[in-house]
Amino acid sequence: MKKTYKIEVDCANCANKMEDAARNISGVKEVVVNFMTQKMIVEFEEGQETKTVMEDVQKACRKVEPDCEIFL
């Protein structure tokens, strides 16, 4: 399953770092963060609870950029 989220990210470099951080989260199959459109597209592994996975993704992204906001 793929879902698109609005995200506030300050620079393209941070967006790339957030992609890498999110890919390491259990339950995430693939992720793309687009700095220009301020969107994050997440593909989840089969049978994963999206809300729980996204909470972990948000924590990982905040390690890259503490004021990052993902609108769930």
Short mmCIF file of all heavy atoms in Angstrom, two decimals:
data_model
loop_
_atom_site.label_atom_id
_atom_site.label_comp_id
_atom_site.label_asym_id
_atom_site.label_seq_id
_atom_site.Cartn_x
_atom_site.Cartn_y
_atom_site.Cartn_z
N MET A 1 0.84 -1.17 0.00
CA MET A 1 0.00 0.00 0.00
C MET A 1 0.89 1.24 0.00
O MET A 1 1.87 1.31 0.72
CB MET A 1 -0.90 -0.01 1.24
CG MET A 1 -1.61 1.29 1.43
SD MET A 1 -2.48 1.58 3.00
CE MET A 1 -2.92 0.01 3.60
N LYS A 2 0.52 2.22 -0.81
CA LYS A 2 1.24 3.49 -0.86
C LYS A 2 0.35 4.58 -0.30
O LYS A 2 -0.85 4.60 -0.55
CB LYS A 2 1.60 3.87 -2.29
CG LYS A 2 2.83 3.22 -2.82
CD LYS A 2 3.20 3.81 -4.16
CE LYS A 2 4.39 3.11 -4.73
NZ LYS A 2 4.78 3.65 -6.02
N LYS A 3 0.97 5.50 0.44
CA LYS A 3 0.25 6.66 0.95
C LYS A 3 1.13 7.89 0.76
O LYS A 3 2.35 7.81 0.84
CB LYS A 3 -0.07 6.50 2.44
CG LYS A 3 -1.19 5.54 2.72
CD LYS A 3 -1.62 5.67 4.15
CE LYS A 3 -3.07 5.29 4.27
NZ LYS A 3 -3.68 5.76 5.48
N THR A 4 0.47 9.02 0.53
CA THR A 4 1.17 10.29 0.37
C THR A 4 0.86 11.18 1.55
O THR A 4 -0.30 11.30 1.96
CB THR A 4 0.73 10.98 -0.94
OG1 THR A 4 1.00 10.09 -2.04
CG2 THR A 4 1.48 12.28 -1.16
N TYR A 5 1.91 11.80 2.09
CA TYR A 5 1.78 12.68 3.25
C TYR A 5 2.38 14.04 2.93
O TYR A 5 3.38 14.12 2.22
CB TYR A 5 2.52 12.10 4.46
CG TYR A 5 2.01 10.76 4.89
CD1 TYR A 5 2.56 9.59 4.40
CD2 TYR A 5 0.95 10.66 5.80
CE1 TYR A 5 2.08 8.35 4.79
CE2 TYR A 5 0.47 9.42 6.19
CZ TYR A 5 1.03 8.27 5.69
OH TYR A 5 0.56 7.05 6.08
N LYS A 6 1.79 15.09 3.46
CA LYS A 6 2.39 16.43 3.38
C LYS A 6 3.48 16.48 4.45
O LYS A 6 3.30 15.99 5.55
CB LYS A 6 1.34 17.50 3.64
CG LYS A 6 1.90 18.91 3.55
CD LYS A 6 0.81 19.94 3.47
CE LYS A 6 1.30 21.35 3.51
NZ LYS A 6 2.63 21.65 3.10
N ILE A 7 4.62 17.07 4.07
CA ILE A 7 5.75 17.14 4.99
C ILE A 7 6.37 18.52 4.90
O ILE A 7 6.37 19.14 3.83
CB ILE A 7 6.79 16.04 4.65
CG1 ILE A 7 7.93 16.02 5.66
CG2 ILE A 7 7.32 16.19 3.24
CD1 ILE A 7 8.87 14.84 5.52
N GLU A 8 6.84 19.02 6.02
CA GLU A 8 7.57 20.28 6.02
C GLU A 8 9.04 19.95 6.21
O GLU A 8 9.44 19.45 7.26
CB GLU A 8 7.09 21.19 7.15
CG GLU A 8 5.73 21.78 6.89
CD GLU A 8 5.29 22.74 7.99
OE1 GLU A 8 6.08 23.03 8.90
OE2 GLU A 8 4.14 23.17 7.92
N VAL A 9 9.82 20.22 5.17
CA VAL A 9 11.25 19.96 5.21
C VAL A 9 11.95 21.19 4.66
O VAL A 9 11.47 21.82 3.72
CB VAL A 9 11.60 18.67 4.42
CG1 VAL A 9 11.16 18.75 2.99
CG2 VAL A 9 13.06 18.33 4.53
N ASP A 10 13.08 21.57 5.29
CA ASP A 10 13.73 22.85 5.00
C ASP A 10 14.66 22.84 3.79
O ASP A 10 14.90 23.90 3.21
CB ASP A 10 14.50 23.34 6.22
CG ASP A 10 13.57 23.67 7.37
OD1 ASP A 10 12.38 23.95 7.13
OD2 ASP A 10 14.04 23.65 8.53
N CYS A 11 15.24 21.71 3.44
CA CYS A 11 16.18 21.71 2.32
C CYS A 11 16.21 20.34 1.63
O CYS A 11 15.80 19.34 2.20
CB CYS A 11 17.58 22.10 2.78
SG CYS A 11 18.39 20.88 3.82
N ALA A 12 16.72 20.32 0.40
CA ALA A 12 16.77 19.09 -0.38
C ALA A 12 17.71 18.06 0.27
O ALA A 12 17.44 16.86 0.24
CB ALA A 12 17.22 19.39 -1.80
N ASN A 13 18.79 18.52 0.85
CA ASN A 13 19.73 17.62 1.51
C ASN A 13 19.06 16.91 2.68
O ASN A 13 19.23 15.70 2.87
CB ASN A 13 20.97 18.38 1.97
CG ASN A 13 22.05 17.47 2.48
OD1 ASN A 13 22.27 16.40 1.93
ND2 ASN A 13 22.72 17.89 3.54
N CYS A 14 18.29 17.65 3.47
CA CYS A 14 17.55 17.04 4.59
C CYS A 14 16.52 16.04 4.07
O CYS A 14 16.31 14.99 4.68
CB CYS A 14 16.87 18.11 5.43
SG CYS A 14 18.03 19.13 6.36
N ALA A 15 15.87 16.36 2.96
CA ALA A 15 14.89 15.44 2.38
C ALA A 15 15.56 14.11 2.02
O ALA A 15 15.00 13.04 2.29
CB ALA A 15 14.24 16.06 1.15
N ASN A 16 16.76 14.16 1.46
CA ASN A 16 17.49 12.93 1.12
C ASN A 16 17.85 12.15 2.37
O ASN A 16 17.75 10.92 2.40
CB ASN A 16 18.75 13.26 0.32
CG ASN A 16 18.44 13.72 -1.08
OD1 ASN A 16 17.40 13.39 -1.63
ND2 ASN A 16 19.33 14.50 -1.64
N LYS A 17 18.28 12.84 3.40
CA LYS A 17 18.63 12.17 4.66
C LYS A 17 17.40 11.54 5.30
O LYS A 17 17.47 10.45 5.88
CB LYS A 17 19.28 13.15 5.62
CG LYS A 17 20.68 13.55 5.21
CD LYS A 17 21.27 14.54 6.19
CE LYS A 17 22.67 14.97 5.78
NZ LYS A 17 23.24 15.95 6.71
N MET A 18 16.25 12.21 5.18
CA MET A 18 15.00 11.67 5.73
C MET A 18 14.59 10.41 4.98
O MET A 18 14.10 9.45 5.59
CB MET A 18 13.90 12.70 5.67
CG MET A 18 14.06 13.78 6.69
SD MET A 18 12.70 14.94 6.55
CE MET A 18 13.36 16.29 7.49
N GLU A 19 14.77 10.41 3.66
CA GLU A 19 14.48 9.20 2.87
C GLU A 19 15.30 8.03 3.40
O GLU A 19 14.76 6.94 3.63
CB GLU A 19 14.83 9.41 1.40
CG GLU A 19 13.77 10.07 0.60
CD GLU A 19 14.14 10.13 -0.88
OE1 GLU A 19 15.06 9.42 -1.34
OE2 GLU A 19 13.48 10.92 -1.59
N ASP A 20 16.60 8.25 3.57
CA ASP A 20 17.48 7.19 4.06
C ASP A 20 17.06 6.71 5.44
O ASP A 20 17.03 5.50 5.71
CB ASP A 20 18.93 7.67 4.09
CG ASP A 20 19.50 7.91 2.70
OD1 ASP A 20 18.95 7.36 1.71
OD2 ASP A 20 20.50 8.64 2.60
N ALA A 21 16.73 7.63 6.33
CA ALA A 21 16.31 7.28 7.69
C ALA A 21 15.00 6.48 7.67
O ALA A 21 14.86 5.48 8.38
CB ALA A 21 16.16 8.53 8.55
N ALA A 22 14.06 6.91 6.85
CA ALA A 22 12.75 6.25 6.79
C ALA A 22 12.85 4.85 6.19
O ALA A 22 12.11 3.95 6.58
CB ALA A 22 11.77 7.10 6.01
N ARG A 23 13.76 4.65 5.24
CA ARG A 23 13.93 3.33 4.62
C ARG A 23 14.37 2.28 5.64
O ARG A 23 14.12 1.10 5.44
CB ARG A 23 14.96 3.39 3.49
CG ARG A 23 14.40 3.89 2.22
CD ARG A 23 15.37 3.67 1.06
NE ARG A 23 14.86 4.42 -0.07
CZ ARG A 23 15.38 5.57 -0.48
NH1 ARG A 23 16.42 6.09 0.11
NH2 ARG A 23 14.84 6.21 -1.51
N ASN A 24 15.01 2.71 6.70
CA ASN A 24 15.50 1.78 7.71
C ASN A 24 14.45 1.41 8.76
O ASN A 24 14.73 0.61 9.65
CB ASN A 24 16.74 2.36 8.41
CG ASN A 24 17.92 2.46 7.47
OD1 ASN A 24 18.11 1.61 6.61
ND2 ASN A 24 18.70 3.51 7.61
N ILE A 25 13.26 1.97 8.64
CA ILE A 25 12.19 1.68 9.59
C ILE A 25 11.49 0.38 9.20
O ILE A 25 11.14 0.19 8.03
CB ILE A 25 11.17 2.85 9.63
CG1 ILE A 25 11.85 4.16 10.04
CG2 ILE A 25 10.00 2.52 10.55
CD1 ILE A 25 12.49 4.14 11.40
N SER A 26 11.27 -0.46 10.19
CA SER A 26 10.56 -1.71 9.96
C SER A 26 9.14 -1.41 9.47
O SER A 26 8.43 -0.60 10.05
CB SER A 26 10.51 -2.50 11.26
OG SER A 26 9.77 -3.68 11.08
N GLY A 27 8.74 -2.06 8.38
CA GLY A 27 7.41 -1.86 7.82
C GLY A 27 7.40 -0.96 6.60
O GLY A 27 6.41 -0.89 5.89
N VAL A 28 8.52 -0.27 6.33
CA VAL A 28 8.62 0.60 5.17
C VAL A 28 9.30 -0.16 4.04
O VAL A 28 10.42 -0.65 4.19
CB VAL A 28 9.42 1.89 5.48
CG1 VAL A 28 9.63 2.71 4.22
CG2 VAL A 28 8.70 2.70 6.54
N LYS A 29 8.61 -0.25 2.90
CA LYS A 29 9.18 -0.92 1.74
C LYS A 29 9.98 0.06 0.90
O LYS A 29 11.10 -0.24 0.47
CB LYS A 29 8.05 -1.53 0.91
CG LYS A 29 8.48 -2.40 -0.23
CD LYS A 29 7.30 -3.08 -0.85
CE LYS A 29 7.73 -4.02 -1.95
NZ LYS A 29 6.56 -4.67 -2.55
N GLU A 30 9.42 1.24 0.66
CA GLU A 30 10.08 2.28 -0.12
C GLU A 30 9.54 3.63 0.31
O GLU A 30 8.40 3.74 0.73
CB GLU A 30 9.83 2.07 -1.62
CG GLU A 30 10.55 3.03 -2.53
CD GLU A 30 12.07 3.02 -2.36
OE1 GLU A 30 12.68 1.94 -2.34
OE2 GLU A 30 12.63 4.10 -2.20
N VAL A 31 10.37 4.67 0.17
CA VAL A 31 9.94 6.02 0.53
C VAL A 31 10.62 7.02 -0.38
O VAL A 31 11.77 6.84 -0.77
CB VAL A 31 10.23 6.33 2.02
CG1 VAL A 31 11.70 6.29 2.31
CG2 VAL A 31 9.64 7.65 2.44
N VAL A 32 9.87 8.06 -0.75
CA VAL A 32 10.40 9.17 -1.55
C VAL A 32 9.95 10.46 -0.88
O VAL A 32 8.77 10.65 -0.61
CB VAL A 32 9.88 9.13 -3.01
CG1 VAL A 32 10.37 10.34 -3.78
CG2 VAL A 32 10.30 7.84 -3.70
N VAL A 33 10.91 11.35 -0.62
CA VAL A 33 10.61 12.66 -0.07
C VAL A 33 10.94 13.68 -1.16
O VAL A 33 12.07 13.76 -1.63
CB VAL A 33 11.42 12.97 1.21
CG1 VAL A 33 11.10 14.37 1.71
CG2 VAL A 33 11.12 11.94 2.28
N ASN A 34 9.94 14.45 -1.58
CA ASN A 34 10.13 15.46 -2.61
C ASN A 34 10.15 16.83 -1.94
O ASN A 34 9.13 17.30 -1.45
CB ASN A 34 9.03 15.36 -3.65
CG ASN A 34 9.28 16.27 -4.83
OD1 ASN A 34 9.64 17.43 -4.68
ND2 ASN A 34 9.08 15.72 -6.02
N PHE A 35 11.32 17.45 -1.94
CA PHE A 35 11.49 18.76 -1.32
C PHE A 35 10.65 19.83 -2.02
O PHE A 35 10.04 20.68 -1.38
CB PHE A 35 12.97 19.16 -1.32
CG PHE A 35 13.21 20.57 -0.93
CD1 PHE A 35 12.94 21.02 0.35
CD2 PHE A 35 13.67 21.49 -1.86
CE1 PHE A 35 13.16 22.34 0.72
CE2 PHE A 35 13.89 22.81 -1.51
CZ PHE A 35 13.63 23.24 -0.22
N MET A 36 10.60 19.77 -3.34
CA MET A 36 9.90 20.81 -4.11
C MET A 36 8.39 20.81 -3.85
O MET A 36 7.78 21.87 -3.74
CB MET A 36 10.18 20.66 -5.61
CG MET A 36 11.65 20.88 -5.96
SD MET A 36 12.25 22.52 -5.53
CE MET A 36 11.38 23.50 -6.71
N THR A 37 7.80 19.63 -3.76
CA THR A 37 6.35 19.55 -3.55
C THR A 37 5.98 19.41 -2.07
O THR A 37 4.80 19.44 -1.74
CB THR A 37 5.74 18.37 -4.33
OG1 THR A 37 6.30 17.15 -3.84
CG2 THR A 37 5.98 18.52 -5.82
N GLN A 38 7.01 19.23 -1.23
CA GLN A 38 6.79 19.04 0.21
C GLN A 38 5.88 17.83 0.47
O GLN A 38 4.95 17.88 1.28
CB GLN A 38 6.21 20.30 0.85
CG GLN A 38 7.12 21.51 0.76
CD GLN A 38 8.26 21.45 1.76
OE1 GLN A 38 8.03 21.47 2.96
NE2 GLN A 38 9.48 21.37 1.29
N LYS A 39 6.18 16.71 -0.23
CA LYS A 39 5.39 15.49 -0.06
C LYS A 39 6.31 14.30 0.20
O LYS A 39 7.43 14.24 -0.28
CB LYS A 39 4.55 15.22 -1.30
CG LYS A 39 3.52 16.30 -1.49
CD LYS A 39 2.38 15.86 -2.33
CE LYS A 39 1.38 17.01 -2.28
NZ LYS A 39 0.39 16.97 -3.20
N MET A 40 5.78 13.38 0.97
CA MET A 40 6.46 12.11 1.25
C MET A 40 5.53 10.99 0.79
O MET A 40 4.37 10.93 1.21
CB MET A 40 6.74 11.98 2.75
CG MET A 40 7.27 10.63 3.16
SD MET A 40 7.45 10.48 4.95
CE MET A 40 9.17 10.92 5.12
N ILE A 41 6.04 10.12 -0.07
CA ILE A 41 5.28 8.97 -0.53
C ILE A 41 5.91 7.73 0.11
O ILE A 41 7.10 7.48 -0.05
CB ILE A 41 5.31 8.84 -2.07
CG1 ILE A 41 4.72 10.11 -2.69
CG2 ILE A 41 4.55 7.60 -2.51
CD1 ILE A 41 4.92 10.21 -4.18
N VAL A 42 5.11 7.01 0.86
CA VAL A 42 5.59 5.83 1.59
C VAL A 42 4.86 4.60 1.08
O VAL A 42 3.63 4.58 1.00
CB VAL A 42 5.35 5.98 3.11
CG1 VAL A 42 5.89 4.76 3.85
CG2 VAL A 42 5.98 7.25 3.64
N GLU A 43 5.63 3.58 0.72
CA GLU A 43 5.06 2.28 0.38
C GLU A 43 5.33 1.36 1.56
O GLU A 43 6.48 1.19 1.98
CB GLU A 43 5.69 1.72 -0.89
CG GLU A 43 5.06 0.43 -1.33
CD GLU A 43 5.58 -0.09 -2.65
OE1 GLU A 43 6.39 0.59 -3.30
OE2 GLU A 43 5.17 -1.20 -3.03
N PHE A 44 4.28 0.80 2.10
CA PHE A 44 4.37 -0.04 3.30
C PHE A 44 4.46 -1.51 2.92
O PHE A 44 3.91 -1.93 1.90
CB PHE A 44 3.13 0.17 4.18
CG PHE A 44 2.98 1.57 4.67
CD1 PHE A 44 2.21 2.49 3.98
CD2 PHE A 44 3.64 1.99 5.82
CE1 PHE A 44 2.07 3.80 4.43
CE2 PHE A 44 3.51 3.30 6.27
CZ PHE A 44 2.73 4.20 5.58
N GLU A 45 5.15 -2.27 3.76
CA GLU A 45 5.19 -3.72 3.58
C GLU A 45 3.81 -4.29 3.89
O GLU A 45 3.04 -3.71 4.64
CB GLU A 45 6.26 -4.33 4.49
CG GLU A 45 7.67 -3.94 4.09
CD GLU A 45 8.72 -4.47 5.03
OE1 GLU A 45 8.39 -5.12 6.04
OE2 GLU A 45 9.90 -4.20 4.75
N GLU A 46 3.54 -5.43 3.31
CA GLU A 46 2.24 -6.09 3.46
C GLU A 46 1.90 -6.34 4.93
O GLU A 46 2.73 -6.81 5.70
CB GLU A 46 2.26 -7.42 2.71
CG GLU A 46 0.91 -8.03 2.48
CD GLU A 46 0.05 -7.27 1.49
OE1 GLU A 46 0.59 -6.67 0.55
OE2 GLU A 46 -1.17 -7.26 1.69
N GLY A 47 0.67 -5.98 5.32
CA GLY A 47 0.18 -6.28 6.65
C GLY A 47 0.65 -5.36 7.76
O GLY A 47 0.43 -5.65 8.93
N GLN A 48 1.28 -4.26 7.42
CA GLN A 48 1.77 -3.34 8.45
C GLN A 48 0.70 -2.32 8.83
O GLN A 48 -0.08 -1.90 7.99
CB GLN A 48 3.01 -2.59 7.93
CG GLN A 48 4.21 -3.48 7.71
CD GLN A 48 4.72 -4.08 9.00
OE1 GLN A 48 4.80 -3.41 10.02
NE2 GLN A 48 5.06 -5.36 8.97
N GLU A 49 0.70 -1.94 10.10
CA GLU A 49 -0.20 -0.89 10.59
C GLU A 49 0.43 0.45 10.24
O GLU A 49 1.45 0.84 10.81
CB GLU A 49 -0.38 -1.04 12.11
CG GLU A 49 -1.25 0.02 12.74
CD GLU A 49 -2.66 0.03 12.19
OE1 GLU A 49 -3.24 -1.06 12.04
OE2 GLU A 49 -3.17 1.13 11.94
N THR A 50 -0.18 1.17 9.29
CA THR A 50 0.44 2.39 8.75
C THR A 50 0.66 3.47 9.81
O THR A 50 1.69 4.13 9.81
CB THR A 50 -0.39 2.97 7.59
OG1 THR A 50 -1.71 3.27 8.04
CG2 THR A 50 -0.46 1.99 6.43
N LYS A 51 -0.28 3.62 10.72
CA LYS A 51 -0.15 4.66 11.75
C LYS A 51 1.07 4.40 12.64
O LYS A 51 1.85 5.31 12.92
CB LYS A 51 -1.42 4.74 12.59
CG LYS A 51 -1.38 5.86 13.59
CD LYS A 51 -2.66 6.00 14.37
CE LYS A 51 -2.54 7.16 15.35
NZ LYS A 51 -3.72 7.32 16.15
N THR A 52 1.25 3.17 13.07
CA THR A 52 2.39 2.81 13.91
C THR A 52 3.71 3.01 13.18
O THR A 52 4.66 3.56 13.74
CB THR A 52 2.27 1.34 14.37
OG1 THR A 52 1.01 1.17 15.02
CG2 THR A 52 3.39 0.95 15.32
N VAL A 53 3.76 2.57 11.92
CA VAL A 53 4.98 2.72 11.12
C VAL A 53 5.29 4.20 10.93
O VAL A 53 6.44 4.62 11.08
CB VAL A 53 4.83 2.01 9.76
CG1 VAL A 53 6.02 2.32 8.85
CG2 VAL A 53 4.69 0.51 9.95
N MET A 54 4.28 5.03 10.65
CA MET A 54 4.52 6.45 10.41
C MET A 54 4.97 7.19 11.68
O MET A 54 5.72 8.16 11.59
CB MET A 54 3.28 7.12 9.81
CG MET A 54 3.07 6.78 8.35
SD MET A 54 4.50 7.08 7.30
CE MET A 54 4.68 8.86 7.43
N GLU A 55 4.55 6.73 12.83
CA GLU A 55 5.06 7.33 14.08
C GLU A 55 6.56 7.10 14.18
O GLU A 55 7.31 8.01 14.55
CB GLU A 55 4.33 6.73 15.28
CG GLU A 55 2.90 7.23 15.41
CD GLU A 55 2.11 6.49 16.48
OE1 GLU A 55 2.65 5.55 17.11
OE2 GLU A 55 0.93 6.85 16.67
N ASP A 56 7.02 5.90 13.81
CA ASP A 56 8.46 5.61 13.82
C ASP A 56 9.19 6.40 12.74
O ASP A 56 10.31 6.87 12.97
CB ASP A 56 8.70 4.11 13.62
CG ASP A 56 8.22 3.28 14.81
OD1 ASP A 56 8.07 3.84 15.91
OD2 ASP A 56 8.01 2.07 14.63
N VAL A 57 8.55 6.56 11.58
CA VAL A 57 9.15 7.36 10.50
C VAL A 57 9.31 8.80 10.96
O VAL A 57 10.36 9.43 10.74
CB VAL A 57 8.29 7.27 9.21
CG1 VAL A 57 8.72 8.32 8.19
CG2 VAL A 57 8.38 5.88 8.60
N GLN A 58 8.30 9.34 11.61
CA GLN A 58 8.38 10.73 12.07
C GLN A 58 9.51 10.91 13.09
O GLN A 58 10.25 11.89 13.03
CB GLN A 58 7.05 11.18 12.67
CG GLN A 58 7.07 12.65 13.03
CD GLN A 58 5.72 13.31 12.88
OE1 GLN A 58 4.70 12.65 12.72
NE2 GLN A 58 5.69 14.61 12.92
N LYS A 59 9.67 9.96 13.99
CA LYS A 59 10.76 10.03 14.97
C LYS A 59 12.12 10.03 14.25
O LYS A 59 13.01 10.79 14.61
CB LYS A 59 10.69 8.85 15.94
CG LYS A 59 9.57 8.96 16.95
CD LYS A 59 9.53 7.72 17.83
CE LYS A 59 8.24 7.68 18.63
NZ LYS A 59 8.09 6.40 19.33
N ALA A 60 12.26 9.17 13.25
CA ALA A 60 13.52 9.09 12.51
C ALA A 60 13.79 10.39 11.75
O ALA A 60 14.93 10.87 11.73
CB ALA A 60 13.48 7.91 11.54
N CYS A 61 12.76 10.97 11.16
CA CYS A 61 12.92 12.22 10.42
C CYS A 61 13.27 13.38 11.35
O CYS A 61 14.05 14.26 10.99
CB CYS A 61 11.66 12.53 9.62
SG CYS A 61 11.44 11.44 8.20
N ARG A 62 12.74 13.36 12.54
CA ARG A 62 13.05 14.44 13.50
C ARG A 62 14.48 14.35 14.01
O ARG A 62 15.01 15.33 14.51
CB ARG A 62 12.05 14.43 14.65
CG ARG A 62 10.72 15.00 14.20
CD ARG A 62 9.82 15.33 15.35
NE ARG A 62 8.64 16.02 14.85
CZ ARG A 62 7.47 15.95 15.41
NH1 ARG A 62 7.30 15.23 16.50
NH2 ARG A 62 6.44 16.61 14.92
N LYS A 63 15.11 13.20 13.90
CA LYS A 63 16.53 13.10 14.24
C LYS A 63 17.36 13.83 13.19
O LYS A 63 18.42 14.36 13.49
CB LYS A 63 16.96 11.64 14.34
CG LYS A 63 16.43 10.95 15.58
CD LYS A 63 16.87 9.52 15.66
CE LYS A 63 16.27 8.85 16.89
NZ LYS A 63 16.59 7.44 16.96
N VAL A 64 16.87 13.86 11.95
CA VAL A 64 17.55 14.58 10.87
C VAL A 64 17.27 16.08 10.99
O VAL A 64 18.17 16.90 10.90
CB VAL A 64 17.08 14.06 9.49
CG1 VAL A 64 17.66 14.91 8.37
CG2 VAL A 64 17.45 12.60 9.31
N GLU A 65 16.00 16.41 11.16
CA GLU A 65 15.57 17.81 11.24
C GLU A 65 14.54 17.93 12.36
O GLU A 65 13.38 17.56 12.19
CB GLU A 65 14.96 18.23 9.89
CG GLU A 65 14.64 19.68 9.78
CD GLU A 65 14.14 20.04 8.40
OE1 GLU A 65 14.93 19.99 7.45
OE2 GLU A 65 12.95 20.35 8.29
N PRO A 66 14.94 18.43 13.52
CA PRO A 66 14.07 18.43 14.71
C PRO A 66 12.71 19.12 14.53
O PRO A 66 11.75 18.73 15.17
CB PRO A 66 14.90 19.15 15.77
CG PRO A 66 16.31 18.94 15.33
CD PRO A 66 16.27 18.94 13.83
N ASP A 67 12.61 20.09 13.64
CA ASP A 67 11.33 20.76 13.47
C ASP A 67 10.52 20.22 12.29
O ASP A 67 9.52 20.81 11.89
CB ASP A 67 11.52 22.28 13.33
CG ASP A 67 12.33 22.65 12.08
OD1 ASP A 67 13.00 21.79 11.52
OD2 ASP A 67 12.28 23.83 11.70
N CYS A 68 10.92 19.07 11.78
CA CYS A 68 10.20 18.43 10.68
C CYS A 68 8.78 18.06 11.12
O CYS A 68 8.57 17.60 12.24
CB CYS A 68 10.95 17.17 10.25
SG CYS A 68 9.99 16.07 9.22
N GLU A 69 7.84 18.24 10.24
CA GLU A 69 6.45 17.89 10.53
C GLU A 69 5.89 17.05 9.39
O GLU A 69 5.98 17.45 8.23
CB GLU A 69 5.62 19.15 10.72
CG GLU A 69 4.23 18.90 11.26
CD GLU A 69 4.25 18.39 12.69
OE1 GLU A 69 4.99 18.95 13.52
OE2 GLU A 69 3.50 17.45 12.98
N ILE A 70 5.37 15.89 9.72
CA ILE A 70 4.68 15.04 8.75
C ILE A 70 3.22 15.04 9.15
O ILE A 70 2.88 14.72 10.29
CB ILE A 70 5.23 13.60 8.75
CG1 ILE A 70 6.73 13.60 8.41
CG2 ILE A 70 4.45 12.74 7.74
CD1 ILE A 70 7.39 12.25 8.57
N PHE A 71 2.36 15.43 8.25
CA PHE A 71 0.93 15.54 8.56
C PHE A 71 0.26 14.20 8.27
O PHE A 71 0.03 13.84 7.12
CB PHE A 71 0.31 16.69 7.75
CG PHE A 71 0.94 18.01 8.11
CD1 PHE A 71 1.97 18.53 7.35
CD2 PHE A 71 0.52 18.70 9.22
CE1 PHE A 71 2.58 19.73 7.68
CE2 PHE A 71 1.10 19.92 9.57
CZ PHE A 71 2.13 20.43 8.79
N LEU A 72 -0.01 13.47 9.35
CA LEU A 72 -0.58 12.13 9.23
C LEU A 72 -2.08 12.15 9.06
O LEU A 72 -2.77 12.97 9.50
CB LEU A 72 -0.21 11.31 10.45
CG LEU A 72 1.29 11.23 10.75
CD1 LEU A 72 1.52 10.45 12.04
CD2 LEU A 72 2.01 10.54 9.62
#
